[in-house]
């Protein structure tokens, strides 16, 4: 699920402005690298789910830590107006 959401977001940003998808991808990958360095430093979304927000983009990375492994659960969009633009929700 996280990979599909991530790929969809990259495509959407590329459609908005050339190179923006590439910048989004790089920003997310940098955030994931920081997670690898100190995963338990991040805020908890729930009991065993951590989160970090993506700088300059309305997304966050949700992940779990199991033994010596980090599992990316989702890369969901966080801003309501962007969800509406992507057709994720209907705004009344």
């Amino acid at each position: 699920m996280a990979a599909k959401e991530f790929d969809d977001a990259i495509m959407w940003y590329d459609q908005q402005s050339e190179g923006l998808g590439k910048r989004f991808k790089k920003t997310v990958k940098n955030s994931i690298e920081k997670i690898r360095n100190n995963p338990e430093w991040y805020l908890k979304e729930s009991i065993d789910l951590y989160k970090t927000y993506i700088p300059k983009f309305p997304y966050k990375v949700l992940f779990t830590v199991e033994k010596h492994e980090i599992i990316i659960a989702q890369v969901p969009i966080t801003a309501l107006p962007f969800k509406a633009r992507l057709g994720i929700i209907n705004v009344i």
Side-chain angles (χ1 to χ4, degrees), residues 51-66:
K51 67 181 173 184
T52 185
Y53 292 95
I54 304 302
K56 300 186 181 187
F57 292 94
Y59 283 82
K60 62 183 173 180
V61 176
L62 299 176
F63 63 97
T64 60
V65 180
E66 296 181 9

Side-chain angles (χ1 to χ4, degrees), residues 4 9 20 33 35 38 46 50 52-53 59 66 70 74 79 84:
K4 172 138 178 38
L20 190 56
E33 189 58 37
I35 290 168
N38 199 358
S46 64
Y50 293 87
T52 185
Y53 292 95
Y59 283 82
E66 296 181 9
I70 298 165
Q74 285 185 311

Side-chain angles (χ1 to χ4, degrees), residues 70-81:
I70 298 165
I71 300 168
I72 305 299
Q74 285 185 311
V75 184
I77 192 165
T78 59
L80 204 54

